[in-house]
Amino acid sequence: MRRLSRLIAAASTLALLGAAFAYPNPGRVTGDVVVHDPTMIRTSTGYVLYSTHGYLEARTSPDRITFTRAGNAFRSPPSWWRTYSSGNDPWAPDISQQGGRYLMYYAVSSFGSNNSAIGLATSSTGQPGTWSDQGIVYATTTSNDHNAIDPNLLVDASGRWWLSFGSYWTGIRMIRLNPSTGKRLSSDQTLYHLATRPDAPYAVEAPDIVRHGGHYYLFASYDRCCAGTSSTYKVKVGRSTSPTGPYTDRSGRSMLSGGGTLVLETHDRVIGPGGQSVLSDVDGDLLVYHYYDGADNGTPKLGINLIGWDSAGWPYVY
């Protein structure tokens, strides 16, 4: 009987530990929340979220819960988009506020191609319909070994500007930017390499780099996106003391060798979470992402979770 009691107690403890480390469901969001590759910012009038498609679809929210469709970032497509997307279909925006103005980097391409370009738009308010296109920041062709999509701006502890980007091919790359223009810095033409995989088709993309404590954390999406309930997307992270790497995971494995510590993956009805961005808000850091709802025929939806940081400095969602 005593042994049985110990076994029951041990089983209960394991169950509690399992529950404690289970992935959380997304926080409550309502309204128009069918999105891909969301990026969000808090302005003086509330939250604005931009996402893939529709000249960069826009949604607004007063409380980070109720979202309302609010047009697009652009009123009309810049002419250069046609070179990279016959449907004028921009992807994966990245919004931030720098020096009193709003910046949005975004990609124009077509599925499965690395004939791609990253553009820059600016706005004084960050609101839909107010963005002015500043042209191409970086582009790739089919002769390149990397892909100019999924951009993310990092301003490091020294005030230097960096743009990370990439998808499949050889993975995540980085260039240095000129803060005065938001374009590539002419005095540094190095193409840095941050993450890839040893297994074809090298499915790592959507970098988002944030600084926390004494490290830079590279969040990236691994495996297959955009396949509804067949999606295998997941979010992994590595860290470095330098913005240009090397980035390693919790076990010490390099992200250039396929490393990455899991932050979020498929669970319950949440299928293929990824396309993430990180927002530092008044109540903490947020992971903003899309997932495919297994309880709604695989419809892509907005996910938002708070990010916690454990005693060793590694992120988790709750």
Side-chain angles (χ1 to χ4, degrees):
M1 182 65 71
R2 187 176 300 168
R3 183 184 178 195
L4 179 60
S5 298
R6 286 199 300 266
L7 288 172
I8 292 172
S12 298
T13 300
L14 288 172
L16 287 171
L17 287 172
F21 289 99
Y23 293 112
N25 285 324
R28 179 171 173 262
V29 293
T30 63
D32 192 328
V33 294
V34 177
V35 303
H36 264 115
D37 309 317
T39 183
M40 186 168 66
I41 198 163
R42 182 173 181 157
T43 72
S44 59
T45 59
Y47 296 89
V48 185
L49 182 145
Y50 292 96
S51 60
T52 286
H53 303 315
Y55 305 165
L56 300 177
E57 294 179 354
R59 292 163 179 81
T60 58
S61 174
D63 55 9
R64 217 172 68 198
I65 295 174
T66 303
F67 287 84
T68 303
R69 187 78 160 85
N72 305 296
F74 292 96
R75 297 182 186 276
S76 59
S79 59
W80 65 264
W81 286 8
R82 281 284 182 182
T83 302
Y84 302 95
S85 171
S86 60
N88 280 329
D89 187 30
W91 298 346
D94 174 72
I95 188 173
S96 64
Q97 187 179 23
Q98 309 293 340
R101 65 174 178 164
Y102 292 88
L103 304 180
M104 189 147 61
Y105 291 90
Y106 62 94
V108 184
S109 187
S110 58
F111 203 80
S113 171
N114 67 334
N115 181 47
S116 311
I118 293 167
L120 169 64
T122 57
S123 168
S124 60
T125 65
Q127 298 300 313
T130 68
W131 293 89
S132 298
D133 185 62
Q134 304 300 320
I136 296 172
V137 176
Y138 188 82
T140 51
T141 70
T142 55
S143 64
N144 288 115
D145 68 350
H146 57 289
N147 194 6
I149 69 167
D150 295 355
N152 170 245
L153 174 66
L154 167 69
V155 178
D156 71 16
S158 301
R160 297 174 298 180
W161 286 31
W162 307 91
L163 190 74
S164 59
F165 56 87
S167 171
Y168 287 68
W169 280 268
T170 55
I172 308 302
R173 300 289 186 146
M174 173 182 271
I175 58 173
R176 190 171 170 190
L177 302 180
N178 185 335
S180 64
T181 64
K183 302 288 187 69
R184 194 171 190 183
L185 185 67
S186 60
S187 61
D188 185 351
Q189 293 294 296
T190 306
L191 181 64
Y192 300 90
H193 201 184
L194 306 186
T196 190
R197 300 174 59 154
D199 52 331
Y202 318 109
V204 53
E205 57 189 5
D208 196 290
I209 301 176
V210 297
R211 182 162 55 94
H212 179 82
H215 287 93
Y216 297 92
Y217 290 81
L218 169 56
F219 293 81
S221 296
Y222 284 62
D223 296 322
R224 186 184 184 195
C225 174
C226 313
T229 55
S230 296
S231 298
T232 57
Y233 237 19
K234 55 183 67 71
V235 180
K236 294 186 178 184
V237 69
R239 71 183 183 186
S240 173
T241 55
S242 167
T244 58
Y247 287 87
T248 56
D249 64 18
R250 186 188 287 268
S251 71
R253 186 180 182 188
S254 172
M255 293 185 79
L256 284 169
S257 301
T261 297
L262 272 168
V263 175
L264 189 63
E265 63 180 338
T266 295
H267 61 283
D268 300 323
R269 65 181 177 86
V270 177
I271 299 173
Q276 73 291 323
S277 59
V278 178
L279 168 64
S280 181
D281 207 352
V282 292
D283 55 342
D285 296 323
L286 303 173
L287 189 72
V288 183
Y289 58 95
H290 71 251
Y291 68 94
Y292 300 92
D293 191 344
D296 189 17
N297 299 312
T299 300
K301 292 185 180 179
L302 172 65
I304 301 176
N305 285 97
L306 282 160
I307 298 174
W309 302 87
D310 69 19
S311 59
W314 288 96
Y316 61 91
V317 294
Y318 67 96

